[in-house]
Amino acid sequence: MASLLRPAAIAAISAAFASRATATTLVAKCPTRFAWEDAQLTDNVISNSEPSLFGFGDDVGTGAASSSQNDNAGGPDCRAMPGDASWPSDETWALFNSTLGGALIETVPLAAACYANWPEQRDAAVCEYLTSHWNDPHLHVEDPTSAMFPLYQGRTCLPTDDPDGSDCALGGYAAYSVAATDVSQIQLAINFARNANLRLVVRNTGHDFNDKSVGAGALSLWTHKLRDIQFLPDFDCRGYSGPAFKLGSGVMTEEVYAAAEVNGVTVVGGECRTVGIAGGYIAGGGHSPMTSLVGMGADQVLSLEVVLPNGRFVTANEDTNPDLYWALRGGGGSTYGVVTSVTIRAYPQIPHTTLTYAYTTSPNVTTETFFESLGVYMSYFDRIASASAYGYFLVTSIGPDQYLFSMMPLWGANMTKPQLTELVTPLLDDLVSLGIAITPNITEYPSLYNAYNGTFGPEQVGGYDNHAASRIFPKENFEPAKLDDTLAAVRYAVEGGGILIGYNIRAAPNPTVNQTNSVNPAWRKTTGFFILGAAWAANATDAEIQQTSETLTDDWMARWRAVSPGGGSYGSEGDINEPNFQQSFYGKHYPRLLELKKKYDPTGLFYAPTAVGSEDWYITDQLPWIPTQNGRLCRKK
Ligand SMILES: Cc1cc2nc3c(=O)[nH]c(=O)nc-3n(C[C@H](O)[C@H](O)[C@H](O)COP(=O)(O)OP(=O)(O)OC[C@H]3O[C@@H](n4cnc5c(N)ncnc54)[C@H](O)[C@@H]3O)c2cc1C
Ligand SMILES: *[C@@H]1O[C@H](CO)[C@@H](O)[C@H](O)[C@H]1NC(C)=O
Ligand SMILES: *[C@@H]1O[C@H](CO)[C@@H](O)[C@H](O)[C@H]1NC(C)=O
Ligand SMILES: *[C@@H]1O[C@H](CO)[C@@H](O)[C@H](O)[C@H]1NC(C)=O
Ligand SMILES: *[C@@H]1O[C@H](CO)[C@@H](O)[C@H](O)[C@H]1NC(C)=O
Ligand SMILES: *[C@@H]1O[C@H](CO)[C@@H](O)[C@H](O)[C@H]1NC(C)=O
Ligand SMILES: *[C@@H]1O[C@H](CO)[C@@H](O)[C@H](O)[C@H]1NC(C)=O
Ligand SMILES: *[C@@H]1O[C@H](CO)[C@@H](O)[C@H](O)[C@H]1NC(C)=O
């Protein structure tokens, strides 16, 4: 339990500052592998241990062009579960653990201390700590298996003050985790899972809204300990020269922002401090306050290192495995292998200016005027995003026929205060002429780190009282011909109780990096990305959750989809129930992504809900609208 109590003051920001002396700065023009990436499994080691358990799968997904391996129908029907005759024996797990050098962890659910049915963990003080910190992402990040949003894990072990009331069960949590610190352990785990027909999951921070990083009975690869940050001030290879970072795949956004600050540069990352920038964020595309200026997170990637489903460790960049390089930049996590590190480009330090304001309906601002003002803001989307700025805003009901708009903030990347003021003055004037009284706060910061730290507070996780869907609207939706219809669809959802988190954003063209990647093409045509949340009471019944989820997907979002043909949705912030998810999350890239899935992972070792190729699989024992990870993973016939 001690590790759980390691204070959330693993305060990664100060840690990153403190470690700057040791943070390696490399003069090399092309980055080399991290030392732990050179620790690889060799055929020699395997032949001296248990080749049938740990041997490479060189006959599967060799990476060589092949169509003869596309037969997905072979192999067992379902992945093994504890209790099955085929489940590895305790002796085999012990052998696996010793081969790993002791890195195997048997899952103890994070909140086990709160439950009588975990007598060895049971500890009232620990339970109290867990309960009071459950919303802090750092708590979950430091645990090998926890899911930050446990709805689709099955909610089987939440903190409780009633230890005798129910049992804490593993539910969708993996059976075992490998706390990987080098590449050989990842190769061993992949080979073992493939050879023993185990379900495999990749778990970095556990941020995924849809619990893509957990799975019942699985062997979980925990990448959180791969935390090296290497600054490459003079990167010069394959066509790009300039500053770059090589990041271990466990590094969190706040750590990279801090390292960029220390080294006087800027990087592209999201707004959430603890998201795995080189894990799920880049894999899924990655949007950022920098995106309207220099493109998506995935657009910054110069090279990656990855362990493939056959256990082999390879590099993916413009010159080496270019098809994999294309797929790993936008095609989603847990699909083609385990990424161990990513090299991204950096930019010079630039100023950032933010604008915040908020208003509500009031005697002076009727509901009509309120939504009219939202339409006015939308009519500026193209102009603002084209000027490289980004808007992040909230629209929600705050009572019967009462609504709130909060700009939190509108962000001008590479803009001074006079520049942002000039850009937004016409919008603010329009709001005033609608009779809306606002007090704009425009603040200039010298660097991204300062702007980010001054803007985005610590995020709250751990909840299971809401679910979100999203839409990447084509920019035409905010142009005069379609604006009214778009606004009507948005208003319908907000009046129905939906919580809108909006982003006014474009994926800016960027000539210095290759944007020929698998990012959802909808991002290339948008100026407005909207997340729509649907909430229920914390004690809601399954029937209530199902009803609300259905309303979200089949009523509110159906109207958004209908009004935005050619748009899409963001898989990293998407609806697990998204209809035709292949089109929504991947667009026209889906066929190519699926072809590469069959090439590199013909046996479907990597599975995550809504990931490429996931339609070949199902999970048993599902409730409609609440698809959890706590059944058995089986192949569709
Ligand atoms: C509060 C909050 C704020 C957010 N803000 C933003 C934002 O501003 N911009 C944005 O674009 N997104 C944002 N997101 C979404 C975020 O990008 C995704 O949830 C992302 O997938 C998280 O990645 P992770 O590695 O931290 O999480 P995990 O849940 O650990 O992993 C997510 C997925 O990636 C896979 N994966 C992780 N690491 C690897 C690896 N090394 N190799 C292969 N597969 C891997 C996992 O198996 C899983 O399928 C936000 C999410 C939250 C909860
Ligand atoms: C793996 O080995 C380490 C070191 O011996 C031990 O601490 C750990 O408990 C073992 N894991 C399992 C699942 O037995
Ligand atoms: C509402 O409008 C009136 C008349 O213009 C004005 O005096 C008053 O201050 C306004 N109230 C708010 C809260 O803006
Ligand atoms: C920021 O703006 C300056 C001055 O206009 C320009 O020279 C520079 O290229 C811009 N930086 C980025 C990263 O766009
Ligand atoms: C404006 O915002 C900045 C940054 O959040 C804050 O420090 C400052 O106090 C705000 N100013 C006013 C007048 O609210
Ligand atoms: C980040 O902001 C907080 C206040 O929100 C402040 O206390 C802290 O010092 C800031 N950190 C840095 C490194 O500037
Ligand atoms: C970008 O990548 C694609 C696919 O790998 C390649 O065909 C193209 O030539 C690259 N473009 C540039 C500008 O390097
Ligand atoms: C949920 O709690 C509220 C009070 O907080 C109560 O009124 C309601 O009946 C409860 N619902 C269920 C399904 O238990």
Side-chain angles (χ1 to χ4, degrees):
M1 279 292 113
S3 71
L4 293 182
L5 291 175
R6 216 185 318 156
I10 295 177
I13 290 183
S14 43
F17 276 105
S19 67
R20 73 186 155 211
T22 56
T24 31
T25 296
L26 214 71
V27 195
K29 288 174 180 267
C30 271
T32 50
R33 289 172 169 173
F34 288 129
W36 50 266
E37 288 179 320
D38 286 328
Q40 291 168 33
L41 194 60
T42 61
D43 293 300
N44 206 20
V45 169
I46 303 244
S47 58
N48 289 329
S49 57
E50 287 281 345
S52 65
L53 291 176
F54 305 128
F56 289 100
D58 288 338
D59 52 336
V60 295
T62 57
S66 162
S67 53
S68 63
Q69 294 158 348
N70 286 1
D71 183 10
N72 213 14
D77 293 344
C78 297
R79 297 296 180 215
M81 286 280 270
D84 288 358
S86 71
W87 184 254
S89 65
D90 288 352
E91 291 71 28
T92 300
W93 284 108
L95 174 64
F96 179 48
N97 192 16
S98 69
T99 312
L100 287 167
L104 189 68
I105 300 168
E106 187 169 3
T107 298
V108 173
L110 181 54
C114 300
Y115 287 85
N117 74 318
W118 290 79
E120 285 177 29
Q121 269 70 38
R122 179 83 189 279
D123 183 323
V126 173
C127 178
E128 199 180 307
Y129 177 89
L130 290 164
T131 305
S132 61
H133 288 75
W134 192 251
N135 293 326
D136 179 350
H138 295 92
L139 179 73
H140 302 270
V141 160
E142 293 301 320
D143 181 82
T145 38
S146 186
M148 293 196 194
F149 302 98
L151 181 60
Y152 304 111
Q153 175 276 335
R155 295 168 287 162
T156 62
C157 191
L158 301 166
T160 176
D161 52 12
D162 178 17
D164 303 315
S166 64
D167 282 351
C168 157
L170 286 191
Y173 288 135
Y176 290 95
S177 299
V178 174
T181 51
D182 71 31
V183 162
S184 75
Q185 293 165 328
I186 297 173
Q187 294 176 298
L188 269 172
I190 285 180
N191 287 350
F192 180 49
R194 193 189 56 251
N195 293 328
N197 186 38
L198 304 179
R199 181 173 179 183
L200 181 72
V201 297
V202 188
R203 200 273 189 183
N204 185 26
T205 67
H207 255 293
D208 193 85
F209 290 134
N210 291 332
D211 291 337
K212 285 178 171 177
S213 35
V214 304
L219 175 61
S220 176
L221 263 165
W222 189 28
T223 55
H224 174 65
K225 293 183 187 290
L226 308 175
R227 300 278 280 287
D228 299 54
I229 299 178
Q230 200 171 54
F231 182 50
L232 302 152
D234 301 307
F235 182 97
D236 184 7
C237 71
R238 294 183 299 274
Y240 165 72
S241 70
F245 279 100
K246 182 172 160 73
L247 309 172
S249 60
V251 166
M252 296 185 290
T253 304
E254 61 191 4
E255 298 169 311
V256 188
Y257 284 169
E261 176 77 5
V262 165
N263 288 289
V265 293
T266 307
V267 291
V268 177
E271 102 231 0
C272 173
R273 287 158 194 262
T274 50
V275 156
I277 187 169
Y281 173 82
I282 278 175
H287 62 79
S288 165
M290 290 280 287
T291 289
S292 296
L293 181 69
V294 295
M296 305 291 291
D299 295 343
Q300 316 306 319
V301 175
L302 301 162
S303 190
L304 309 98
E305 310 287 334
V306 53
V307 183
L308 295 176
N310 65 9
R312 297 295 179 184
F313 183 52
V314 301
T315 297
N317 59 38
E318 201 83 61
D319 296 338
T320 311
N321 298 308
D323 58 358
L324 199 56
Y325 176 56
W326 177 83
L328 291 171
R329 293 175 297 148
S334 196
T335 304
Y336 301 101
V338 177
V339 170
T340 62
S341 68
V342 178
T343 304
I344 59 170
R345 76 153 291 183
Y347 297 86
Q349 205 160 68
I350 48 177
H352 299 261
T353 301
T354 62
L355 160 69
T356 54
Y357 61 89
Y359 58 91
T360 63
T361 45
S362 68
N364 289 12
V365 182
T366 62
T367 297
E368 266 332 294
T369 306
F370 180 88
F371 284 103
E372 190 184 344
S373 76
L374 183 58
V376 166
Y377 173 39
M378 289 175 178
S379 73
Y380 281 93
F381 273 12
D382 190 42
R383 175 171 173 180
I384 293 173
S386 299
S388 304
Y390 147 110
Y392 171 57
F393 59 95
L394 169 72
V395 181
T396 185
S397 162
I398 50 169
D401 211 28
Q402 290 175 288
Y403 299 94
L404 162 75
F405 178 99
S406 179
M407 181 62 81
M408 26 176 233
L410 198 158
W411 179 305
N414 206 17
M415 281 189 202
T416 59
K417 186 170 179 175
Q419 286 170 322
L420 187 73
T421 305
E422 188 187 339
L423 178 67
V424 300
T425 296
L427 165 63
L428 299 181
D429 286 350
D430 283 355
L431 295 180
V432 170
S433 24
L434 284 172
I436 297 174
I438 52 171
T439 315
N441 179 339
I442 304 190
T443 305
E444 180 175 331
Y445 299 91
S447 69
L448 181 121
Y449 182 85
N450 284 288
Y452 158 86
N453 191 45
T455 299
F456 299 119
E459 60 274 1
Q460 301 268 307
V461 303
Y464 41 89
D465 60 352
N466 67 84
H467 176 53
S470 68
R471 193 73 187 156
I472 308 169
F473 288 96
K475 67 177 185 179
E476 290 73 29
N477 275 98
F478 309 106
E479 290 170 355
K482 292 193 100 173
L483 184 63
D484 287 349
D485 287 348
T486 309
L487 182 62
V490 169
R491 178 172 176 174
Y492 178 85
V494 173
E495 287 189 330
I499 301 155
L500 165 63
I501 306 274
Y503 295 81
N504 170 208
I505 189 169
R506 65 159 184 163
N510 182 335
T512 66
V513 276
N514 195 334
Q515 290 181 322
T516 309
N517 59 26
S518 56
V519 166
N520 187 343
W523 279 114
R524 307 293 178 199
K525 300 181 292 189
T526 194
T527 54
F529 165 60
F530 289 6
I531 297 176
L532 185 62
W536 47 79
N539 65 353
T541 60
D542 283 351
E544 288 165 341
I545 295 173
Q546 289 169 308
Q547 168 82 65
T548 307
S549 300
E550 182 175 0
T551 300
L552 173 68
T553 307
D554 279 359
D555 185 12
W556 301 345
M557 289 304 296
R559 290 167 194 254
W560 289 22
R561 289 191 296 271
V563 80
S564 59
S569 178
Y570 183 35
S572 286
E573 293 175 317
D575 182 359
I576 198 166
N577 299 309
E578 178 78 22
N580 193 6
F581 76 84
Q582 295 90 339
Q583 197 288 322
S584 292
F585 294 155
Y586 308 93
K588 69 169 198 259
H589 293 327
Y590 197 75
R592 177 69 177 142
L593 287 167
L594 188 60
E595 194 184 329
L596 292 171
K597 172 73 177 174
K598 306 234 181 223
K599 172 179 171 182
Y600 285 103
D601 188 18
T603 67
L605 180 63
F606 286 83
Y607 165 88
T610 74
V612 171
S614 58
E615 64 271 32
D616 288 346
W617 299 83
Y618 68 97
I619 293 170
T620 61
D621 309 314
Q622 294 296 301
L623 285 175
W625 297 105
I626 319 179
T628 65
Q629 295 308 308
N630 56 8
R632 183 192 288 267
L633 179 63
C634 297
R635 197 186 299 268
K636 281 185 192 158
K637 283 291 169 190

XYZ file of all heavy atoms in Angstrom, residues 97 102-106 176, ligand 2:
68
model
N 7.486 -14.300 -14.262
C 7.942 -13.217 -13.387
C 9.451 -13.221 -13.235
O 10.098 -12.174 -13.317
C 7.265 -13.362 -12.008
C 7.446 -12.131 -11.138
O 7.803 -11.056 -11.630
N 7.221 -12.285 -9.842
N 11.215 -9.956 -12.067
C 10.368 -9.590 -10.931
C 9.405 -8.453 -11.196
O 8.852 -7.884 -10.258
N 9.158 -8.124 -12.460
C 8.316 -6.951 -12.788
C 6.829 -7.276 -12.869
O 6.030 -6.415 -13.242
C 8.776 -6.324 -14.097
N 6.436 -8.505 -12.512
C 5.026 -8.884 -12.628
C 4.255 -8.497 -11.365
O 4.712 -8.751 -10.244
C 4.908 -10.396 -12.858
C 3.509 -10.900 -13.202
C 3.084 -10.410 -14.587
C 3.457 -12.433 -13.139
N 3.097 -7.873 -11.563
C 2.252 -7.428 -10.443
C 0.894 -8.104 -10.574
O 0.257 -8.009 -11.624
C 2.062 -5.900 -10.477
C 3.409 -5.184 -10.378
C 1.116 -5.445 -9.367
C 3.319 -3.692 -10.685
N 0.469 -8.793 -9.520
C -0.875 -9.352 -9.524
C -1.830 -8.237 -9.119
O -1.577 -7.490 -8.179
C -0.969 -10.530 -8.552
C -2.288 -11.239 -8.663
C -2.310 -12.570 -7.901
O -1.306 -12.910 -7.233
O -3.345 -13.247 -7.991
N -3.024 -9.428 -14.353
C -1.624 -9.137 -14.020
C -1.140 -7.954 -14.847
O -1.620 -7.724 -15.957
C -0.720 -10.321 -14.374
C -0.879 -11.541 -13.503
C -1.726 -12.573 -13.898
C -0.164 -11.672 -12.316
C -1.861 -13.719 -13.111
C -0.294 -12.802 -11.523
C -1.143 -13.823 -11.925
O -1.268 -14.946 -11.142
C 7.387 -11.072 -8.976
O 8.637 -11.098 -8.363
C 8.877 -10.011 -7.480
C 10.313 -10.074 -7.021
O 10.610 -11.327 -6.568
C 7.887 -10.089 -6.347
O 8.069 -8.999 -5.487
C 6.485 -10.044 -6.933
O 5.530 -10.188 -5.915
C 6.304 -11.159 -7.934
N 5.002 -11.024 -8.598
C 4.083 -11.962 -8.534
C 2.810 -11.721 -9.272
O 4.229 -12.987 -7.913
